Amino acid sequence: MRKLKDISIIIAIIIIGIPLFILAIPFMIAIIPIGHFQRKKFEKKYAVFLNKNNGKNFFCYNNRKNSKQYIEDDIIPNLNDGIEILYLNGRKIESEYNSEFISEALYGLKHYNKFPHLMKIRNGKLIDKSINNPFYGVLNMNKSKSELLNKINEFFELDKIKNVA
């Protein structure tokens, strides 16, 4: 009895599934190339964005409760003027830059290990680094904030800072 039920389910899937798949083929043939060309078009625009913003530096942080206030009060005011701030308020990116391109940059992070995160654009390429561990060393273990700021400046190839209280 059980085998008969299993066989009837398989036959129903074949009878219904194969015709549906055959009917879907023309849609797939039309949609797949459209998606491919849209992706290629976006990649060209993204490459233009990277070239246009060559040399830019980004400090990225999110709305995590135990760090947001400290970052805004103690880290951001001490960052070099050449560093742009990207704030992720949940999934919403708060920045003056095109959110579609910033989202692509964040989605493609190669060295992602939680926020805060650093990104720089050099020679049309995005280079990134997580500073999550050093940041939480400062926040939770009272390590030197100057060391963290110097690591940030070193990544961005900026001058070192003096000790910060």
Side-chain angles (χ1 to χ4, degrees):
M1 186 68 171
R2 176 84 178 145
K3 283 186 176 183
L4 185 62
K5 186 176 182 181
D6 291 344
I7 291 172
S8 62
I9 290 173
I10 292 171
I11 291 172
I13 290 172
I14 292 172
I15 291 173
I16 295 171
I18 291 175
L20 283 177
F21 179 73
I22 291 170
L23 287 173
I25 288 174
F27 294 109
M28 289 188 289
I29 290 172
I31 291 173
I32 290 172
I34 291 170
H36 174 74
F37 289 118
Q38 285 178 336
R39 182 68 191 162
K40 288 293 181 189
K41 185 177 175 183
F42 176 80
E43 286 173 358
K44 286 179 185 177
K45 287 181 181 178
Y46 182 63
V48 168
F49 167 80
L50 290 176
N51 286 320
K52 182 179 156 190
N53 290 288
N54 194 46
K56 295 277 183 171
N57 303 312
F58 299 95
F59 178 88
C60 311
Y61 72 107
N62 60 5
N63 60 347
R64 190 170 176 182
K65 290 179 185 174
N66 69 342
S67 62
K68 179 183 180 289
Q69 196 67 45
Y70 184 80
I71 288 172
E72 291 175 347
D73 293 343
D74 295 306
I75 301 297
I76 291 176
N78 291 302
L79 291 177
N80 186 297
D81 291 338
I83 300 174
E84 308 282 336
I85 306 301
L86 297 177
Y87 173 61
L88 279 75
N89 190 1
R91 291 188 175 263
K92 184 177 182 236
I93 299 168
E94 294 182 8
S95 166
E96 63 186 58
Y97 293 90
N98 181 313
S99 62
E100 190 176 23
F101 295 135
I102 297 299
S103 179
E104 177 74 10
L106 292 169
Y107 180 74
L109 294 175
K110 292 186 179 23
H111 302 286
Y112 176 74
N113 188 17
K114 301 183 181 178
F115 287 97
H117 208 89
L118 307 176
M119 297 186 309
K120 63 183 177 182
I121 301 173
R122 301 293 186 272
N123 301 317
K125 301 244 187 277
L126 185 81
I127 303 163
D128 68 282
K129 177 182 181 178
S130 174
I131 55 164
N132 180 274
N133 288 341
F135 170 73
Y136 280 99
V138 171
L139 185 64
N140 297 329
M141 295 184 265
N142 296 323
K143 289 190 175 180
S144 168
K145 184 173 23 172
S146 295
E147 273 185 49
L148 174 65
L149 293 168
N150 281 327
K151 285 181 183 184
I152 292 170
N153 287 343
E154 185 179 305
F155 175 77
F156 292 132
E157 302 156 4
L158 302 169
D159 294 332
K160 291 200 180 269
I161 57 132
K162 297 175 181 140
N163 285 337
V164 177

mmCIF file of all heavy atoms in Angstrom, residues 6-32:
data_model
loop_
_atom_site.group_PDB
_atom_site.id
_atom_site.type_symbol
_atom_site.label_atom_id
_atom_site.label_comp_id
_atom_site.label_asym_id
_atom_site.label_seq_id
_atom_site.Cartn_x
_atom_site.Cartn_y
_atom_site.Cartn_z
ATOM 1 N N ASP A 6 3.644 5.863 -2.902
ATOM 2 C CA ASP A 6 4.898 6.485 -3.321
ATOM 3 C C ASP A 6 5.018 6.524 -4.837
ATOM 4 O O ASP A 6 5.426 7.534 -5.416
ATOM 5 C CB ASP A 6 6.100 5.741 -2.724
ATOM 6 C CG ASP A 6 6.217 5.915 -1.220
ATOM 7 O OD1 ASP A 6 5.574 6.839 -0.683
ATOM 8 O OD2 ASP A 6 6.957 5.126 -0.592
ATOM 9 N N ILE A 7 4.633 5.444 -5.481
ATOM 10 C CA ILE A 7 4.701 5.373 -6.947
ATOM 11 C C ILE A 7 3.731 6.374 -7.565
ATOM 12 O O ILE A 7 4.059 7.053 -8.529
ATOM 13 C CB ILE A 7 4.431 3.932 -7.433
ATOM 14 C CG1 ILE A 7 5.594 3.022 -7.026
ATOM 15 C CG2 ILE A 7 4.233 3.894 -8.950
ATOM 16 C CD1 ILE A 7 5.342 1.553 -7.285
ATOM 17 N N SER A 8 2.525 6.498 -6.991
ATOM 18 C CA SER A 8 1.546 7.444 -7.541
ATOM 19 C C SER A 8 2.019 8.888 -7.364
ATOM 20 O O SER A 8 1.785 9.728 -8.234
ATOM 21 C CB SER A 8 0.175 7.237 -6.925
ATOM 22 O OG SER A 8 0.206 7.468 -5.551
ATOM 23 N N ILE A 9 2.710 9.176 -6.287
ATOM 24 C CA ILE A 9 3.267 10.523 -6.079
ATOM 25 C C ILE A 9 4.343 10.802 -7.122
ATOM 26 O O ILE A 9 4.372 11.889 -7.716
ATOM 27 C CB ILE A 9 3.802 10.678 -4.639
ATOM 28 C CG1 ILE A 9 2.649 10.702 -3.641
ATOM 29 C CG2 ILE A 9 4.653 11.940 -4.509
ATOM 30 C CD1 ILE A 9 3.066 10.685 -2.198
ATOM 31 N N ILE A 10 5.204 9.843 -7.363
ATOM 32 C CA ILE A 10 6.271 10.005 -8.364
ATOM 33 C C ILE A 10 5.664 10.208 -9.745
ATOM 34 O O ILE A 10 6.097 11.090 -10.502
ATOM 35 C CB ILE A 10 7.237 8.801 -8.326
ATOM 36 C CG1 ILE A 10 8.026 8.812 -7.015
ATOM 37 C CG2 ILE A 10 8.178 8.823 -9.517
ATOM 38 C CD1 ILE A 10 8.845 7.569 -6.766
ATOM 39 N N ILE A 11 4.660 9.438 -10.079
ATOM 40 C CA ILE A 11 3.996 9.564 -11.393
ATOM 41 C C ILE A 11 3.335 10.945 -11.505
ATOM 42 O O ILE A 11 3.438 11.603 -12.550
ATOM 43 C CB ILE A 11 2.991 8.420 -11.619
ATOM 44 C CG1 ILE A 11 3.747 7.096 -11.786
ATOM 45 C CG2 ILE A 11 2.100 8.695 -12.829
ATOM 46 C CD1 ILE A 11 2.860 5.869 -11.835
ATOM 47 N N ALA A 12 2.682 11.410 -10.443
ATOM 48 C CA ALA A 12 2.042 12.730 -10.466
ATOM 49 C C ALA A 12 3.093 13.835 -10.656
ATOM 50 O O ALA A 12 2.865 14.780 -11.419
ATOM 51 C CB ALA A 12 1.265 12.958 -9.177
ATOM 52 N N ILE A 13 4.224 13.702 -9.979
ATOM 53 C CA ILE A 13 5.299 14.688 -10.133
ATOM 54 C C ILE A 13 5.794 14.696 -11.573
ATOM 55 O O ILE A 13 6.001 15.759 -12.159
ATOM 56 C CB ILE A 13 6.448 14.411 -9.128
ATOM 57 C CG1 ILE A 13 5.985 14.739 -7.714
ATOM 58 C CG2 ILE A 13 7.695 15.220 -9.486
ATOM 59 C CD1 ILE A 13 6.959 14.322 -6.629
ATOM 60 N N ILE A 14 5.956 13.530 -12.138
ATOM 61 C CA ILE A 14 6.420 13.430 -13.526
ATOM 62 C C ILE A 14 5.391 14.023 -14.480
ATOM 63 O O ILE A 14 5.722 14.820 -15.355
ATOM 64 C CB ILE A 14 6.760 11.970 -13.891
ATOM 65 C CG1 ILE A 14 7.998 11.517 -13.114
ATOM 66 C CG2 ILE A 14 6.971 11.818 -15.398
ATOM 67 C CD1 ILE A 14 8.304 10.037 -13.246
ATOM 68 N N ILE A 15 4.135 13.655 -14.302
ATOM 69 C CA ILE A 15 3.075 14.125 -15.204
ATOM 70 C C ILE A 15 2.899 15.643 -15.103
ATOM 71 O O ILE A 15 2.686 16.314 -16.112
ATOM 72 C CB ILE A 15 1.745 13.388 -14.919
ATOM 73 C CG1 ILE A 15 1.876 11.916 -15.335
ATOM 74 C CG2 ILE A 15 0.570 14.051 -15.618
ATOM 75 C CD1 ILE A 15 0.682 11.051 -14.942
ATOM 76 N N ILE A 16 2.995 16.190 -13.901
ATOM 77 C CA ILE A 16 2.808 17.633 -13.709
ATOM 78 C C ILE A 16 4.133 18.394 -13.859
ATOM 79 O O ILE A 16 4.194 19.434 -14.500
ATOM 80 C CB ILE A 16 2.183 17.924 -12.323
ATOM 81 C CG1 ILE A 16 0.773 17.325 -12.269
ATOM 82 C CG2 ILE A 16 2.141 19.422 -12.050
ATOM 83 C CD1 ILE A 16 0.146 17.347 -10.904
ATOM 84 N N GLY A 17 5.189 17.848 -13.293
ATOM 85 C CA GLY A 17 6.474 18.553 -13.243
ATOM 86 C C GLY A 17 7.136 18.742 -14.593
ATOM 87 O O GLY A 17 7.643 19.826 -14.897
ATOM 88 N N ILE A 18 7.150 17.693 -15.399
ATOM 89 C CA ILE A 18 7.824 17.784 -16.703
ATOM 90 C C ILE A 18 7.148 18.823 -17.599
ATOM 91 O O ILE A 18 7.835 19.684 -18.150
ATOM 92 C CB ILE A 18 7.946 16.394 -17.360
ATOM 93 C CG1 ILE A 18 8.941 15.556 -16.559
ATOM 94 C CG2 ILE A 18 8.384 16.522 -18.820
ATOM 95 C CD1 ILE A 18 9.086 14.127 -17.023
ATOM 96 N N PRO A 19 5.823 18.797 -17.748
ATOM 97 C CA PRO A 19 5.201 19.852 -18.579
ATOM 98 C C PRO A 19 5.437 21.267 -18.031
ATOM 99 O O PRO A 19 5.669 22.195 -18.793
ATOM 100 C CB PRO A 19 3.711 19.508 -18.569
ATOM 101 C CG PRO A 19 3.674 18.051 -18.271
ATOM 102 C CD PRO A 19 4.841 17.786 -17.381
ATOM 103 N N LEU A 20 5.395 21.426 -16.701
ATOM 104 C CA LEU A 20 5.671 22.746 -16.122
ATOM 105 C C LEU A 20 7.102 23.184 -16.417
ATOM 106 O O LEU A 20 7.343 24.351 -16.742
ATOM 107 C CB LEU A 20 5.421 22.734 -14.607
ATOM 108 C CG LEU A 20 3.973 22.787 -14.166
ATOM 109 C CD1 LEU A 20 3.876 22.697 -12.649
ATOM 110 C CD2 LEU A 20 3.299 24.048 -14.662
ATOM 111 N N PHE A 21 8.026 22.272 -16.315
ATOM 112 C CA PHE A 21 9.423 22.585 -16.624
ATOM 113 C C PHE A 21 9.561 22.978 -18.096
ATOM 114 O O PHE A 21 10.224 23.965 -18.420
ATOM 115 C CB PHE A 21 10.329 21.390 -16.299
ATOM 116 C CG PHE A 21 11.768 21.640 -16.615
ATOM 117 C CD1 PHE A 21 12.528 22.478 -15.818
ATOM 118 C CD2 PHE A 21 12.363 21.046 -17.728
ATOM 119 C CE1 PHE A 21 13.859 22.727 -16.116
ATOM 120 C CE2 PHE A 21 13.692 21.286 -18.032
ATOM 121 C CZ PHE A 21 14.452 22.131 -17.223
ATOM 122 N N ILE A 22 8.907 22.247 -18.975
ATOM 123 C CA ILE A 22 8.969 22.552 -20.410
ATOM 124 C C ILE A 22 8.353 23.923 -20.685
ATOM 125 O O ILE A 22 8.884 24.705 -21.480
ATOM 126 C CB ILE A 22 8.281 21.434 -21.235
ATOM 127 C CG1 ILE A 22 9.126 20.156 -21.145
ATOM 128 C CG2 ILE A 22 8.084 21.862 -22.681
ATOM 129 C CD1 ILE A 22 8.447 18.925 -21.702
ATOM 130 N N LEU A 23 7.257 24.230 -20.020
ATOM 131 C CA LEU A 23 6.639 25.553 -20.182
ATOM 132 C C LEU A 23 7.533 26.671 -19.630
ATOM 133 O O LEU A 23 7.499 27.796 -20.133
ATOM 134 C CB LEU A 23 5.277 25.593 -19.484
ATOM 135 C CG LEU A 23 4.146 24.827 -20.161
ATOM 136 C CD1 LEU A 23 2.913 24.819 -19.266
ATOM 137 C CD2 LEU A 23 3.823 25.433 -21.517
ATOM 138 N N ALA A 24 8.310 26.382 -18.613
ATOM 139 C CA ALA A 24 9.169 27.399 -17.990
ATOM 140 C C ALA A 24 10.438 27.671 -18.792
ATOM 141 O O ALA A 24 11.047 28.723 -18.632
ATOM 142 C CB ALA A 24 9.528 26.966 -16.574
ATOM 143 N N ILE A 25 10.828 26.753 -19.658
ATOM 144 C CA ILE A 25 12.084 26.912 -20.413
ATOM 145 C C ILE A 25 12.125 28.224 -21.201
ATOM 146 O O ILE A 25 13.116 28.947 -21.123
ATOM 147 C CB ILE A 25 12.349 25.673 -21.303
ATOM 148 C CG1 ILE A 25 12.745 24.496 -20.413
ATOM 149 C CG2 ILE A 25 13.460 25.957 -22.317
ATOM 150 C CD1 ILE A 25 12.893 23.182 -21.166
ATOM 151 N N PRO A 26 11.073 28.593 -21.942
ATOM 152 C CA PRO A 26 11.153 29.874 -22.676
ATOM 153 C C PRO A 26 11.350 31.080 -21.754
ATOM 154 O O PRO A 26 12.078 32.011 -22.091
ATOM 155 C CB PRO A 26 9.813 29.962 -23.413
ATOM 156 C CG PRO A 26 9.309 28.567 -23.474
ATOM 157 C CD PRO A 26 9.863 27.861 -22.273
ATOM 158 N N PHE A 27 10.707 31.053 -20.590
ATOM 159 C CA PHE A 27 10.884 32.154 -19.636
ATOM 160 C C PHE A 27 12.315 32.199 -19.122
ATOM 161 O O PHE A 27 12.912 33.263 -18.988
ATOM 162 C CB PHE A 27 9.896 32.026 -18.465
ATOM 163 C CG PHE A 27 8.472 32.201 -18.878
ATOM 164 C CD1 PHE A 27 7.604 31.119 -18.892
ATOM 165 C CD2 PHE A 27 7.987 33.445 -19.267
ATOM 166 C CE1 PHE A 27 6.283 31.274 -19.277
ATOM 167 C CE2 PHE A 27 6.669 33.611 -19.655
ATOM 168 C CZ PHE A 27 5.809 32.521 -19.660
ATOM 169 N N MET A 28 12.879 31.032 -18.814
ATOM 170 C CA MET A 28 14.263 30.979 -18.352
ATOM 171 C C MET A 28 15.220 31.459 -19.432
ATOM 172 O O MET A 28 16.173 32.177 -19.161
ATOM 173 C CB MET A 28 14.625 29.557 -17.897
ATOM 174 C CG MET A 28 13.950 29.145 -16.607
ATOM 175 S SD MET A 28 14.542 27.577 -15.949
ATOM 176 C CE MET A 28 13.859 26.413 -17.103
ATOM 177 N N ILE A 29 14.943 31.071 -20.677
ATOM 178 C CA ILE A 29 15.790 31.492 -21.796
ATOM 179 C C ILE A 29 15.755 33.016 -21.937
ATOM 180 O O ILE A 29 16.758 33.638 -22.253
ATOM 181 C CB ILE A 29 15.358 30.786 -23.108
ATOM 182 C CG1 ILE A 29 15.717 29.302 -23.023
ATOM 183 C CG2 ILE A 29 16.001 31.432 -24.325
ATOM 184 C CD1 ILE A 29 15.163 28.456 -24.168
ATOM 185 N N ALA A 30 14.625 33.630 -21.657
ATOM 186 C CA ALA A 30 14.505 35.088 -21.756
ATOM 187 C C ALA A 30 15.073 35.787 -20.525
ATOM 188 O O ALA A 30 15.757 36.798 -20.644
ATOM 189 C CB ALA A 30 13.046 35.474 -21.950
ATOM 190 N N ILE A 31 14.816 35.260 -19.358
ATOM 191 C CA ILE A 31 15.184 35.943 -18.118
ATOM 192 C C ILE A 31 16.674 35.829 -17.803
ATOM 193 O O ILE A 31 17.291 36.806 -17.354
ATOM 194 C CB ILE A 31 14.326 35.419 -16.945
ATOM 195 C CG1 ILE A 31 12.887 35.881 -17.134
ATOM 196 C CG2 ILE A 31 14.849 35.883 -15.607
ATOM 197 C CD1 ILE A 31 11.906 35.302 -16.153
ATOM 198 N N ILE A 32 17.271 34.698 -18.003
ATOM 199 C CA ILE A 32 18.685 34.510 -17.648
ATOM 200 C C ILE A 32 19.590 35.492 -18.382
ATOM 201 O O ILE A 32 20.401 36.160 -17.743
ATOM 202 C CB ILE A 32 19.104 33.039 -17.838
ATOM 203 C CG1 ILE A 32 18.428 32.181 -16.770
ATOM 204 C CG2 ILE A 32 20.626 32.884 -17.767
ATOM 205 C CD1 ILE A 32 18.599 30.691 -16.942
#
